[in-house]
Amino acid sequence: MAEECPKCHGTGIVKEKDGSVHTCWDCLQSGKYDVHSEKVPDSKVKI
């Protein structure tokens, strides 16, 4: 990215003071990230 986001610093993930994490809504809304990524990492979660 040309400009680094002050909230997520280019990672797309925002870490709150309470330790919780979430998607950077500002970057997502501005179109910097694709909501439906084709390269989803394997989480090793079995259902």
Side-chain angles (χ1 to χ4, degrees):
M1 281 177 229
E3 292 182 33
E4 193 172 280
C5 175
K7 291 184 180 179
C8 71
H9 305 288
T11 64
I13 307 274
V14 176
K15 185 171 183 179
E16 297 293 343
K17 291 180 182 179
D18 65 0
S20 64
V21 294
H22 61 81
T23 302
C24 182
W25 307 122
D26 292 345
C27 288
L28 190 62
Q29 187 176 19
S30 69
K32 291 181 183 176
Y33 298 108
D34 184 5
V35 180
H36 302 286
S37 176
E38 293 179 6
K39 298 177 183 178
V40 179
D42 184 9
S43 65
K44 310 241 190 277
V45 173
K46 294 186 181 188
I47 299 175

